[in-house]
Amino acid sequence: MSVRRYIPAVAVAVLLAAQLSACSGDDDADRVRLGKVARSDVAEVVEAPGTVSARAAATLRASAEGTIERLYVGDGDRVQEGDVLARIGSPTAREQLAQAREADGSLAGGGVDMPAALDMSGFQRKTDRSARQGFSAARKVALKIPDLRQRALVLAGITRAEGEYRSAAAAAREAVARLNAGLGSVGNAFSSITAAQRVQTRAAVRAGERTVKALTIKAPFDGVVSLGGPAGGGGGLGDLASRLPQQLAGQGGAGGSAASGLGALGGLGGGTAKDASSVATGAPVSSGDAVVTVTDVSRLSLAADVDETDVLQIREGVEADVEFDAVQGGTYTAEVTGIGVTPKESTGGGVTYKVTLVLKEGTLSGGGRAPMPKPGMSAVVNLRVREVTGVLSVPSAAIVSSGRDSVVWAVVGGQAERRVVRLGAQGDTTVEVTRGLKEGEEVVVRGADSVRQGEELSP
């Protein structure tokens, strides 16, 4: 939950203190003090809790069941895009690819014998039904992928294969219809159905090739390595393949392998969590297990939770001062780059909105350069939502709330005079006054809530 704080841009209180004078009488001197309306700079600040985020982070997972054949990196290593980080040995993945290629080769080369007394209409309907089940199963598993980019790639592959199948299936239905009308041959109808089946075997080959290729884990971008990573929402390529039914088993002997890889059209981001101690050469992994996490720390950002009462004052480009508990005496600068529109309920029952900032360099209280924080560290973000310079202002203690009015006690002829004023930027110790006072006028700056109209207030 954000908190409104007000911080003056200059130490106006020091300047005003020099102008303060005691009122008549020792008791009044302790109770009331006077000061003059002066010009100063005022900065209005909204305070919000924040968390550091990296520019990007990717958890790289085992694409199939096997063992870590070779691990090339350790915790904290810096890597560049394309560097090989680990190799997974998986006889299962290579066997699935071999089976998919064999099945596809059989259909392509005409090596599948046409069963005798085959009901072509029934054969075609069974092929379509199996394909629908396979695509549906693949889509359900793909929708569980937590990584949005990987999910989109998998779903795009499934959609592409579905489109290819629809075209091939339409041709097969037309061939069967011609056969039933006495205008076509059994061989043509069988070939058309086989062509539709081959859409699945080709998808299985592509999936198998991607699975095997993904056994070599490479850095997707420059960054810092951490071994292991969090759990995901699903499995890897091999896990997706194993969940699909053996859809066309018994139909010419080729369909089972086609079905086993039908939905495995891209990389998945699921599986179990792994800590650094369980990631080593020779260690077993399951499909989808986290192996390595790469984090790009070249640019750090902040996510601040700003209260609904303050968020409308935030705009892109607003600057902020940032403090971290982990960096005592350090102050950083940041700039707002985005303002969210999705509400989030805060712990206090209110509503907050996410404000994103880019984090810049910091300085220590002694003047040295502050170390850059790490992703996940908490921060206090002071957003400077309004800054004015050279404006009429009074100490914030001079302002008294009276219903909807803001009131200041001016001193006219040695007596207190009630003035309703209009406020502008409101700092922590200093407040801008846009109407109701003139520069140089004397006002009550301490004890204002105890003053009465006409009260004698001699300097």
Side-chain angles (χ1 to χ4, degrees):
M1 182 176 183
S2 61
V3 177
R4 181 182 293 277
R5 280 185 56 215
Y6 307 106
I7 299 177
V10 296
V12 181
V14 175
L15 299 176
L16 291 175
Q19 303 171 5
L20 297 180
S21 59
C23 298
S24 58
D26 293 339
D27 292 339
D28 282 346
D30 292 335
R31 181 176 66 87
V32 175
R33 282 191 179 274
L34 305 183
K36 289 186 178 181
V37 179
R39 291 189 177 274
S40 65
D41 301 344
V42 182
E44 186 172 331
V45 172
V46 169
E47 179 185 285
T51 305
V52 181
S53 299
R55 183 176 186 178
T59 297
L60 310 175
R61 303 177 182 274
S63 62
E65 179 182 3
T67 59
I68 299 177
E69 199 171 76
R70 183 79 181 273
L71 186 63
Y72 296 91
V73 292
D75 270 332
D77 286 355
R78 289 190 172 271
V79 296
Q80 295 183 327
E81 180 180 351
D83 285 353
V84 176
L85 311 181
R87 295 187 191 277
I88 307 297
S90 177
T92 301
R94 297 187 182 279
E95 182 180 351
Q96 286 182 341
L97 175 57
Q99 290 175 349
R101 285 173 172 169
E102 181 182 357
D104 187 60
S106 296
L107 290 175
V112 179
D113 296 329
M114 180 174 61
L118 183 65
D119 176 6
M120 285 295 174
S121 294
F123 184 28
Q124 182 260 323
R125 286 194 298 271
K126 188 173 182 179
T127 299
D128 285 349
R129 183 170 60 252
S130 297
R132 285 194 301 271
Q133 291 173 349
F135 287 126
S136 177
R139 193 172 293 278
K140 287 179 181 179
V141 176
L143 287 171
K144 296 180 181 179
I145 301 171
D147 186 295
L148 297 181
R149 179 177 176 275
Q150 292 291 345
R151 183 192 306 172
L153 289 173
V154 175
L155 290 173
I158 295 172
T159 300
R160 183 169 59 252
E162 283 179 311
E164 294 173 355
Y165 184 83
R166 280 195 297 270
S167 298
R173 285 192 291 273
E174 182 179 351
V176 171
R178 288 177 59 82
L179 173 64
N180 293 337
L183 301 175
S185 67
V186 173
N188 286 338
F190 184 79
S191 295
S192 295
I193 296 173
T194 301
Q197 289 183 346
R198 196 173 174 221
V199 170
Q200 299 179 68
T201 61
R202 287 198 299 267
V205 170
R206 289 196 298 269
E209 289 172 344
R210 288 170 181 159
T211 302
V212 171
K213 182 179 180 180
L215 294 174
T216 299
I217 297 177
K218 297 182 178 181
F221 43 72
D222 297 356
V224 180
V225 166
S226 299
L227 298 183
L237 290 169
D239 184 63
L240 176 58
S242 67
R243 294 185 188 189
L244 298 177
Q246 300 294 311
Q247 299 165 70
L248 303 176
Q251 297 181 21
S257 295
S260 68
L262 175 61
L265 305 177
L268 290 180
T272 60
K274 289 281 188 181
D275 57 30
S277 62
S278 62
V279 178
T281 299
V285 289
S286 298
S287 179
D289 280 357
V291 178
V292 175
T293 298
V294 179
T295 305
D296 180 356
V297 294
S298 62
R299 181 179 179 181
L300 298 178
S301 62
L302 282 166
D305 293 326
V306 178
D307 193 88
E308 59 182 325
T309 58
D310 298 319
V311 72
L312 294 180
Q313 300 182 72
I314 312 298
R315 63 188 183 279
E316 289 189 19
V318 164
E319 295 185 342
D321 297 317
V322 184
E323 299 175 356
F324 295 91
D325 288 339
V327 187
Q328 293 295 322
T331 302
Y332 299 76
T333 57
E335 183 179 331
V336 174
T337 57
I339 303 163
V341 297
T342 303
K344 173 185 175 183
E345 187 171 347
S346 67
T347 54
V351 172
T352 63
Y353 292 84
K354 179 181 177 181
V355 173
T356 304
L357 307 92
V358 59
L359 183 64
K360 302 178 182 179
E361 293 184 354
T363 56
L364 296 173
S365 55
R369 182 176 178 178
M372 290 306 289
K374 295 183 180 296
M377 285 186 173
S378 58
V380 176
V381 183
N382 297 311
L383 296 142
R384 300 197 293 271
V385 296
R386 189 176 181 185
E387 294 181 283
V388 290
T389 59
V391 296
L392 290 181
S393 60
V394 296
S396 55
I399 307 298
V400 178
S401 296
S402 178
R404 295 184 178 180
D405 294 333
S406 295
V407 173
V408 170
W409 289 104
V411 181
V412 180
Q415 294 183 333
E417 181 179 285
R418 186 177 184 272
R419 297 275 186 89
V420 176
V421 296
R422 178 182 292 174
L423 305 181
Q426 301 177 44
D428 186 32
T429 59
T430 310
V431 178
E432 177 190 8
V433 178
T434 62
R435 189 178 69 182
L437 292 174
K438 295 180 180 179
E439 186 175 359
E441 284 191 291
E442 280 193 312
V443 294
V444 177
V445 297
R446 191 177 78 179
D449 55 350
S450 65
V451 175
R452 297 293 178 265
Q453 179 73 19
E455 181 177 344
E456 292 287 341
L457 298 173
S458 299

